[in-house]
Amino acid sequence: MKISDALSVLGVPSGATQAEIKAAYKAAAKKYHPDLNPAGAEMMKLVNAAFDVLQAQGTVHTDEATNVNYGEDLNAALNAIIDLDGLEIEICGAWIWVGGNTREHKDALKAAGFKYASKKKRWNFRPAGWKSKSRGRSTMEDIREKHGSAKPKRPARSSMALRAAP
């Protein structure tokens, strides 16, 4: 994960001190805890990865723009699609990639802020203002190799909801 992405996930600006990063980590851990949030397990993985990247630094400076609301935006996007059937959700770095049966969920994906990447045949959610340097030349395998990959577990559906009414 890039430093600018890590700052965006935790919602801290460039120039943040270790004390500010630790306070932002604690606030994010409380906010995105899996007991309080359907997509919490995946959000906590991102928060922990961001904290690990920033913890190794002193005062963190970057010339790249950061979006201090990205963690909230990412959480809202993930929660909007986590229960949709037929989607293959994958988190690579600080991006969400969605494949599978997306045609029937096209409107929901657009409403959640996802963009379609025609070369990859997948939808993605990324930080606002992000500019591509590769112009789409990277394959999904390249992205997975560089940023890692995790597939979120879907929330278990209640056994009561699965039973037919008498």
Side-chain angles (χ1 to χ4, degrees):
M1 181 178 294
K2 295 185 339 182
I3 290 175
S4 59
D5 290 344
L7 290 169
S8 294
V9 168
L10 290 180
V12 293
S14 179
T17 64
Q18 285 297 311
E20 292 170 324
I21 291 168
K22 189 171 184 178
Y25 170 74
K26 286 181 180 183
K30 185 176 182 181
K31 183 176 188 176
Y32 302 125
H33 193 276
D35 290 345
L36 305 173
N37 187 345
E42 296 310 313
M43 283 303 298
M44 283 306 301
K45 288 178 187 175
L46 285 170
V47 166
N48 287 331
F51 183 65
D52 290 343
V53 167
L54 297 176
Q55 191 177 23
Q57 308 290 320
T59 300
V60 182
H61 293 284
T62 182
D63 292 334
E64 295 182 42
T66 59
N67 176 358
V68 294
N69 294 322
Y70 183 62
E72 293 174 17
D73 296 344
L74 187 69
N75 183 52
L78 193 53
N79 278 322
I81 66 164
I82 195 91
D83 289 327
L84 299 177
D85 290 328
L87 297 182
E88 297 170 4
I89 302 170
E90 184 175 7
I91 298 173
C92 299
W95 288 36
I96 302 172
W97 289 92
V98 181
N101 187 13
T102 61
R103 187 172 298 251
E104 67 186 65
H105 302 297
K106 176 181 169 184
D107 293 334
L109 288 163
K110 281 185 178 181
F114 285 81
K115 307 275 190 246
Y116 190 70
S118 59
K119 292 180 182 176
K120 293 172 184 60
K121 306 282 190 244
R122 294 183 179 273
W123 292 79
N124 67 68
F125 187 87
R126 62 181 188 220
W130 187 87
K131 301 288 184 203
S132 174
K133 294 177 184 151
S134 68
R135 300 282 184 223
R137 289 187 295 265
S138 298
T139 65
M140 281 306 298
E141 288 304 317
D142 295 338
I143 293 168
R144 287 180 187 114
E145 186 177 311
K146 183 175 181 179
H147 301 287
S149 172
K151 295 189 178 185
K153 292 182 181 173
R154 307 245 172 154
R157 295 188 182 196
S158 167
S159 60
M160 296 299 281
L162 296 177
R163 292 185 192 157

